[in-house]
Amino acid sequence: MIQGKFISIEGTEGAGKSTALQFIKQYLTKAQLDVVWTREPGGTELAEEIRRIVLHPMSFEEVTPETELLLMFAARAQHIKKYILPALEAGKWVATDRFIDASYAYQGGGRSIDTKYITMLDEWIVGPIYPNLTLLLDIAPHTGFERAEKRGSEKDRIEHEEIDFFVRVRDIYLERAKQYPERIKIIDASVPLFAVENQIRDVLDDFIKR
Ligand code: Z5A
């Protein structure tokens, strides 16, 4: 039986997800919750290997959208059964850096894969193991791009996409937030860091009370 709570953090390019995660970690640690931290794609040894393959910039062979989607779900299948579910059943809280909404946004929106295939995989692989809360860090793609450029780190394969790709990603994230307002909470990530943190604090305060 599931006893723990499940939180996912999502965001578009340059929204400041990694930065916000530091704040979320501090907040949940202060609240003395037994939280385990993980990420997608990844979270187990095998899923991390899949991450390496799927995000590695490839010059020798194009990765098809279908392959990309299936690799994301292969990693997720392993992640859920071997890591997320056991932790939740042990009463722990699980916080993951990206989860199912990213597949709808990146592969459904960015790659234009028909949602029906994603929904099929979602029902099969994720089933009832859905986040209780999703924090969606939202920013206009051009602002996010500027921030990511400033960060200056090496880009993964998906980060090499054009701005139109990230516009479609954002559209789907926002569409899903509209569809699931109880679960997905939009954080305006365009404002200074302290203001982003204030919004996150409010959402987490409310979630913990519940
Ligand atoms: N993916 C997928 O396609 N399908 C799936 O199903 C799943 C994933 C699960 C994983 O990347 C990739 O996998 C991702 C989607 C795909 N590909 N892309 N693109 P990831 O999540 O590991 O990496 P990321 O997307 O690059 O996230 P990130 O590392 O968290 O980056 P970020 O959101 O850009 O955050 P940041 O590094 O914290 O911030 C960027 C810069 O802005 C940095 O210099 C900060 O100091 C600065 N910053 C942050 N906040 C602020 C504020 N408030 N004001 C000003 N500046 C700020």
mmCIF file of all heavy atoms in Angstrom, residues 20-46:
data_model
loop_
_atom_site.group_PDB
_atom_site.id
_atom_site.type_symbol
_atom_site.label_atom_id
_atom_site.label_comp_id
_atom_site.label_asym_id
_atom_site.label_seq_id
_atom_site.Cartn_x
_atom_site.Cartn_y
_atom_site.Cartn_z
ATOM 1 N N ALA A 20 15.691 25.920 -8.395
ATOM 2 C CA ALA A 20 14.509 25.785 -7.536
ATOM 3 C C ALA A 20 14.570 24.517 -6.694
ATOM 4 O O ALA A 20 14.114 24.488 -5.543
ATOM 5 C CB ALA A 20 13.245 25.789 -8.393
ATOM 6 N N LEU A 21 15.177 23.477 -7.275
ATOM 7 C CA LEU A 21 15.270 22.206 -6.544
ATOM 8 C C LEU A 21 16.035 22.352 -5.236
ATOM 9 O O LEU A 21 15.704 21.707 -4.237
ATOM 10 C CB LEU A 21 15.948 21.156 -7.426
ATOM 11 C CG LEU A 21 14.985 20.265 -8.201
ATOM 12 C CD1 LEU A 21 15.726 19.510 -9.295
ATOM 13 C CD2 LEU A 21 14.306 19.273 -7.262
ATOM 14 N N GLN A 22 17.047 23.212 -5.241
ATOM 15 C CA GLN A 22 17.826 23.445 -4.013
ATOM 16 C C GLN A 22 16.906 23.993 -2.916
ATOM 17 O O GLN A 22 16.971 23.583 -1.762
ATOM 18 C CB GLN A 22 18.975 24.432 -4.269
ATOM 19 C CG GLN A 22 20.001 23.964 -5.275
ATOM 20 C CD GLN A 22 20.472 22.541 -4.994
ATOM 21 O OE1 GLN A 22 20.777 22.195 -3.852
ATOM 22 N NE2 GLN A 22 20.487 21.705 -6.024
ATOM 23 N N PHE A 23 16.048 24.927 -3.325
ATOM 24 C CA PHE A 23 15.121 25.526 -2.360
ATOM 25 C C PHE A 23 14.107 24.484 -1.867
ATOM 26 O O PHE A 23 13.828 24.394 -0.663
ATOM 27 C CB PHE A 23 14.383 26.714 -3.006
ATOM 28 C CG PHE A 23 13.346 27.308 -2.100
ATOM 29 C CD1 PHE A 23 13.711 28.158 -1.068
ATOM 30 C CD2 PHE A 23 12.003 26.988 -2.255
ATOM 31 C CE1 PHE A 23 12.756 28.693 -0.207
ATOM 32 C CE2 PHE A 23 11.030 27.516 -1.403
ATOM 33 C CZ PHE A 23 11.410 28.373 -0.387
ATOM 34 N N ILE A 24 13.587 23.682 -2.783
ATOM 35 C CA ILE A 24 12.589 22.662 -2.416
ATOM 36 C C ILE A 24 13.210 21.654 -1.439
ATOM 37 O O ILE A 24 12.592 21.241 -0.454
ATOM 38 C CB ILE A 24 12.040 21.968 -3.684
ATOM 39 C CG1 ILE A 24 11.312 22.993 -4.566
ATOM 40 C CG2 ILE A 24 11.118 20.808 -3.323
ATOM 41 C CD1 ILE A 24 11.004 22.514 -5.982
ATOM 42 N N LYS A 25 14.457 21.289 -1.712
ATOM 43 C CA LYS A 25 15.168 20.353 -0.822
ATOM 44 C C LYS A 25 15.272 20.940 0.583
ATOM 45 O O LYS A 25 14.973 20.264 1.572
ATOM 46 C CB LYS A 25 16.573 20.059 -1.360
ATOM 47 C CG LYS A 25 16.566 18.983 -2.413
ATOM 48 C CD LYS A 25 17.968 18.613 -2.858
ATOM 49 C CE LYS A 25 17.845 17.652 -4.039
ATOM 50 N NZ LYS A 25 19.064 17.357 -4.717
ATOM 51 N N GLN A 26 15.684 22.211 0.644
ATOM 52 C CA GLN A 26 15.824 22.867 1.964
ATOM 53 C C GLN A 26 14.480 22.906 2.687
ATOM 54 O O GLN A 26 14.385 22.622 3.873
ATOM 55 C CB GLN A 26 16.300 24.302 1.779
ATOM 56 C CG GLN A 26 17.788 24.430 1.578
ATOM 57 C CD GLN A 26 18.153 25.872 1.198
ATOM 58 O OE1 GLN A 26 17.360 26.796 1.365
ATOM 59 N NE2 GLN A 26 19.343 26.053 0.669
ATOM 60 N N TYR A 27 13.439 23.244 1.941
ATOM 61 C CA TYR A 27 12.109 23.368 2.530
ATOM 62 C C TYR A 27 11.658 22.028 3.126
ATOM 63 O O TYR A 27 11.214 21.966 4.278
ATOM 64 C CB TYR A 27 11.102 23.845 1.459
ATOM 65 C CG TYR A 27 9.694 23.961 1.980
ATOM 66 C CD1 TYR A 27 9.159 25.201 2.327
ATOM 67 C CD2 TYR A 27 8.886 22.831 2.149
ATOM 68 C CE1 TYR A 27 7.872 25.309 2.829
ATOM 69 C CE2 TYR A 27 7.601 22.930 2.649
ATOM 70 C CZ TYR A 27 7.091 24.161 2.987
ATOM 71 O OH TYR A 27 5.821 24.254 3.477
ATOM 72 N N LEU A 28 11.769 20.951 2.335
ATOM 73 C CA LEU A 28 11.256 19.652 2.790
ATOM 74 C C LEU A 28 12.123 19.068 3.902
ATOM 75 O O LEU A 28 11.622 18.371 4.791
ATOM 76 C CB LEU A 28 11.137 18.686 1.604
ATOM 77 C CG LEU A 28 10.098 19.092 0.537
ATOM 78 C CD1 LEU A 28 10.128 18.126 -0.646
ATOM 79 C CD2 LEU A 28 8.674 19.154 1.103
ATOM 80 N N THR A 29 13.413 19.377 3.868
ATOM 81 C CA THR A 29 14.311 18.911 4.935
ATOM 82 C C THR A 29 13.920 19.608 6.244
ATOM 83 O O THR A 29 13.855 18.973 7.303
ATOM 84 C CB THR A 29 15.785 19.210 4.588
ATOM 85 O OG1 THR A 29 16.054 18.667 3.309
ATOM 86 C CG2 THR A 29 16.749 18.621 5.603
ATOM 87 N N LYS A 30 13.660 20.914 6.153
ATOM 88 C CA LYS A 30 13.268 21.695 7.327
ATOM 89 C C LYS A 30 11.965 21.167 7.913
ATOM 90 O O LYS A 30 11.768 21.166 9.136
ATOM 91 C CB LYS A 30 13.077 23.160 6.925
ATOM 92 C CG LYS A 30 13.867 24.128 7.756
ATOM 93 C CD LYS A 30 13.472 25.509 7.345
ATOM 94 C CE LYS A 30 14.374 26.563 7.894
ATOM 95 N NZ LYS A 30 14.091 27.861 7.300
ATOM 96 N N ALA A 31 11.076 20.723 7.016
ATOM 97 C CA ALA A 31 9.777 20.194 7.463
ATOM 98 C C ALA A 31 9.915 18.775 8.044
ATOM 99 O O ALA A 31 8.922 18.150 8.429
ATOM 100 C CB ALA A 31 8.787 20.197 6.303
ATOM 101 N N GLN A 32 11.151 18.276 8.075
ATOM 102 C CA GLN A 32 11.501 16.973 8.662
ATOM 103 C C GLN A 32 10.750 15.812 8.014
ATOM 104 O O GLN A 32 10.326 14.870 8.678
ATOM 105 C CB GLN A 32 11.262 16.996 10.168
ATOM 106 C CG GLN A 32 12.157 18.029 10.842
ATOM 107 C CD GLN A 32 12.148 17.916 12.347
ATOM 108 O OE1 GLN A 32 11.088 17.695 12.924
ATOM 109 N NE2 GLN A 32 13.301 18.065 12.954
ATOM 110 N N LEU A 33 10.613 15.921 6.698
ATOM 111 C CA LEU A 33 9.958 14.842 5.966
ATOM 112 C C LEU A 33 11.020 13.877 5.450
ATOM 113 O O LEU A 33 12.140 14.291 5.137
ATOM 114 C CB LEU A 33 9.150 15.416 4.801
ATOM 115 C CG LEU A 33 7.972 16.282 5.240
ATOM 116 C CD1 LEU A 33 7.479 17.169 4.112
ATOM 117 C CD2 LEU A 33 6.843 15.396 5.754
ATOM 118 N N ASP A 34 10.653 12.600 5.377
ATOM 119 C CA ASP A 34 11.587 11.591 4.914
ATOM 120 C C ASP A 34 11.475 11.519 3.381
ATOM 121 O O ASP A 34 10.656 10.787 2.833
ATOM 122 C CB ASP A 34 11.205 10.246 5.563
ATOM 123 C CG ASP A 34 12.258 9.195 5.330
ATOM 124 O OD1 ASP A 34 13.301 9.524 4.726
ATOM 125 O OD2 ASP A 34 12.041 8.038 5.744
ATOM 126 N N VAL A 35 12.302 12.324 2.704
ATOM 127 C CA VAL A 35 12.182 12.462 1.251
ATOM 128 C C VAL A 35 13.359 11.813 0.534
ATOM 129 O O VAL A 35 14.498 11.987 0.942
ATOM 130 C CB VAL A 35 12.136 13.955 0.831
ATOM 131 C CG1 VAL A 35 11.836 14.092 -0.656
ATOM 132 C CG2 VAL A 35 11.129 14.725 1.646
ATOM 133 N N VAL A 36 13.068 11.079 -0.554
ATOM 134 C CA VAL A 36 14.148 10.620 -1.424
ATOM 135 C C VAL A 36 14.054 11.407 -2.734
ATOM 136 O O VAL A 36 12.971 11.744 -3.187
ATOM 137 C CB VAL A 36 14.112 9.089 -1.690
ATOM 138 C CG1 VAL A 36 14.416 8.329 -0.420
ATOM 139 C CG2 VAL A 36 12.796 8.639 -2.289
ATOM 140 N N TRP A 37 15.225 11.704 -3.300
ATOM 141 C CA TRP A 37 15.317 12.568 -4.487
ATOM 142 C C TRP A 37 15.733 11.763 -5.687
ATOM 143 O O TRP A 37 16.623 10.928 -5.591
ATOM 144 C CB TRP A 37 16.323 13.688 -4.225
ATOM 145 C CG TRP A 37 15.885 14.520 -3.084
ATOM 146 C CD1 TRP A 37 16.162 14.307 -1.769
ATOM 147 C CD2 TRP A 37 15.018 15.653 -3.132
ATOM 148 N NE1 TRP A 37 15.533 15.243 -0.990
ATOM 149 C CE2 TRP A 37 14.825 16.087 -1.809
ATOM 150 C CE3 TRP A 37 14.393 16.349 -4.165
ATOM 151 C CZ2 TRP A 37 14.022 17.176 -1.484
ATOM 152 C CZ3 TRP A 37 13.599 17.441 -3.856
ATOM 153 C CH2 TRP A 37 13.420 17.845 -2.526
ATOM 154 N N THR A 38 15.087 12.036 -6.792
ATOM 155 C CA THR A 38 15.426 11.272 -7.978
ATOM 156 C C THR A 38 15.179 12.112 -9.226
ATOM 157 O O THR A 38 14.821 13.286 -9.127
ATOM 158 C CB THR A 38 14.646 9.933 -7.972
ATOM 159 O OG1 THR A 38 15.080 9.135 -9.061
ATOM 160 C CG2 THR A 38 13.138 10.137 -8.041
ATOM 161 N N ARG A 39 15.403 11.534 -10.388
ATOM 162 C CA ARG A 39 15.212 12.329 -11.611
ATOM 163 C C ARG A 39 14.845 11.435 -12.788
ATOM 164 O O ARG A 39 15.065 10.218 -12.744
ATOM 165 C CB ARG A 39 16.479 13.096 -11.953
ATOM 166 C CG ARG A 39 17.629 12.199 -12.397
ATOM 167 C CD ARG A 39 18.777 13.032 -12.908
ATOM 168 N NE ARG A 39 19.901 12.217 -13.352
ATOM 169 C CZ ARG A 39 21.034 12.704 -13.824
ATOM 170 N NH1 ARG A 39 21.193 14.007 -13.903
ATOM 171 N NH2 ARG A 39 22.013 11.918 -14.220
ATOM 172 N N GLU A 40 14.294 12.064 -13.816
ATOM 173 C CA GLU A 40 13.985 11.340 -15.055
ATOM 174 C C GLU A 40 14.510 12.101 -16.258
ATOM 175 O O GLU A 40 14.483 13.342 -16.257
ATOM 176 C CB GLU A 40 12.474 11.162 -15.196
ATOM 177 C CG GLU A 40 11.943 10.097 -14.284
ATOM 178 C CD GLU A 40 10.738 9.350 -14.864
ATOM 179 O OE1 GLU A 40 10.151 9.835 -15.855
ATOM 180 O OE2 GLU A 40 10.395 8.311 -14.330
ATOM 181 N N PRO A 41 14.927 11.446 -17.338
ATOM 182 C CA PRO A 41 15.142 10.017 -17.305
ATOM 183 C C PRO A 41 16.291 9.694 -16.345
ATOM 184 O O PRO A 41 17.244 10.452 -16.255
ATOM 185 C CB PRO A 41 15.523 9.674 -18.757
ATOM 186 C CG PRO A 41 15.974 10.964 -19.369
ATOM 187 C CD PRO A 41 15.266 12.054 -18.650
ATOM 188 N N GLY A 42 16.153 8.574 -15.641
ATOM 189 C CA GLY A 42 17.183 8.164 -14.692
ATOM 190 C C GLY A 42 16.592 7.615 -13.409
ATOM 191 O O GLY A 42 15.447 7.180 -13.373
ATOM 192 N N GLY A 43 17.409 7.626 -12.359
ATOM 193 C CA GLY A 43 16.925 7.223 -11.038
ATOM 194 C C GLY A 43 17.333 5.822 -10.605
ATOM 195 O O GLY A 43 17.287 5.512 -9.421
ATOM 196 N N THR A 44 17.701 4.956 -11.561
ATOM 197 C CA THR A 44 18.286 3.652 -11.218
ATOM 198 C C THR A 44 19.505 3.510 -12.133
ATOM 199 O O THR A 44 19.653 4.284 -13.089
ATOM 200 C CB THR A 44 17.341 2.458 -11.478
ATOM 201 O OG1 THR A 44 17.303 2.199 -12.886
ATOM 202 C CG2 THR A 44 15.941 2.696 -10.942
ATOM 203 N N GLU A 45 20.318 2.486 -11.870
ATOM 204 C CA GLU A 45 21.535 2.334 -12.670
ATOM 205 C C GLU A 45 21.203 2.157 -14.157
ATOM 206 O O GLU A 45 21.782 2.812 -15.026
ATOM 207 C CB GLU A 45 22.304 1.114 -12.156
ATOM 208 C CG GLU A 45 23.780 1.349 -12.146
ATOM 209 C CD GLU A 45 24.518 0.206 -11.476
ATOM 210 O OE1 GLU A 45 24.073 -0.242 -10.385
ATOM 211 O OE2 GLU A 45 25.518 -0.239 -12.063
ATOM 212 N N LEU A 46 20.220 1.298 -14.411
ATOM 213 C CA LEU A 46 19.851 1.048 -15.806
ATOM 214 C C LEU A 46 19.199 2.283 -16.435
ATOM 215 O O LEU A 46 19.506 2.661 -17.576
ATOM 216 C CB LEU A 46 18.896 -0.160 -15.876
ATOM 217 C CG LEU A 46 18.333 -0.498 -17.259
ATOM 218 C CD1 LEU A 46 19.432 -0.725 -18.274
ATOM 219 C CD2 LEU A 46 17.435 -1.732 -17.172
#
